[in-house]
Amino acid sequence: MYESIVSPSFKLAVNLSGLKFKIPSKICAAISVAACFIGIISFGTYRYYLYNETIALGNSYYSEIPTELVVRDADDVSAQLAQLFKNVKNNKDLDNTILNLEEKFCLAISEDFNDYTNYINDIGWNLAIAHLKDGDRDKAIETLELLISHSESDIIVEKCKKLISDIKQL
């Protein structure tokens, strides 16, 4: 009965209370594009939110261990580490800083005693924070778990466990 009024260019039909209305195909396409656009924007916004939360977590935990005390003597190792820790604190050159800290952390956790063994907690903690500030939660957790398994300090172990818990809640 109502079909005679509706033009053939309408494709989608909606049935409301026995009445038949047709929606033009161009409107359906526009609605579909808008829905996809909203979905993409929502996903991107959520990922950006998680990235910012990860960085904020790294910034908030940075001051948990006072790294200014790391310079125990005037040797070259202490000076190098102090500069790397300063880079982490200031978010400066994080890519190279992470590479250097990873190398030094591997040396620190090795079975052989070396120049970095005494700095294991400082290096591991700053490396985890650098990963967080770089937005890499998985690497931060991996570093913290290694630090837990190699640290002899109960305080450090507890702080690492708390930070892992906070990262997993993001």
Side-chain angles (χ1 to χ4, degrees):
M1 170 164 113
Y2 293 103
E3 292 182 27
S4 60
I5 326 172
V6 178
S7 86
S9 68
F10 295 102
K11 286 190 174 183
L12 183 64
V14 177
N15 189 356
L16 300 171
S17 305
L19 298 175
K20 223 178 200 187
F21 297 99
K22 296 202 177 197
I23 300 174
S25 60
K26 288 182 181 181
I27 292 175
C28 288
I31 291 172
S32 297
V33 168
C36 289
F37 185 70
I38 289 170
I40 290 169
I41 294 295
S42 298
F43 179 73
T45 303
Y46 178 70
R47 300 253 322 152
Y48 183 71
Y49 168 77
L50 283 179
Y51 176 77
N52 281 340
E53 287 296 306
T54 303
I55 291 171
L57 190 61
N59 287 332
S60 69
Y61 269 89
Y62 179 79
S63 63
E64 286 288 319
I65 295 180
T67 56
E68 284 76 18
L69 302 177
V70 77
V71 181
R72 296 179 178 107
D73 49 30
D75 66 358
D76 190 42
V77 171
S78 296
Q80 287 176 4
L81 291 176
Q83 182 58 47
L84 290 171
F85 299 162
K86 185 178 177 183
N87 288 352
V88 172
K89 180 179 182 178
N90 298 326
N91 296 335
K92 183 180 173 188
D93 194 22
L94 283 179
D95 291 334
N96 286 327
T97 300
I98 288 171
L99 288 174
N100 284 318
L101 285 173
E102 283 176 341
E103 176 186 324
K104 289 166 183 25
F105 189 58
C106 286
L107 289 170
I109 64 176
S110 69
E111 292 182 17
D112 299 327
F113 185 84
N114 57 59
D115 292 341
Y116 300 101
T117 304
N118 291 332
Y119 299 97
I120 188 170
N121 294 329
D122 302 312
I123 296 170
W125 184 261
N126 277 276
L127 178 58
I129 299 302
H131 281 304
L132 283 177
K133 288 185 171 195
D134 198 38
D136 194 344
R137 294 186 310 250
D138 295 333
K139 282 283 201 177
I141 290 173
E142 181 183 324
T143 302
L144 290 167
E145 288 172 345
L146 274 172
L147 184 54
I148 288 170
S149 66
H150 289 89
S151 179
E152 296 175 1
S153 169
D154 292 337
I155 294 170
I156 299 295
V157 169
E158 288 307 312
K159 287 182 185 255
C160 289
K161 287 179 181 178
K162 176 153 178 27
L163 181 52
I164 288 172
S165 171
D166 288 348
I167 293 170
K168 288 182 177 180
Q169 287 178 4
L170 289 179

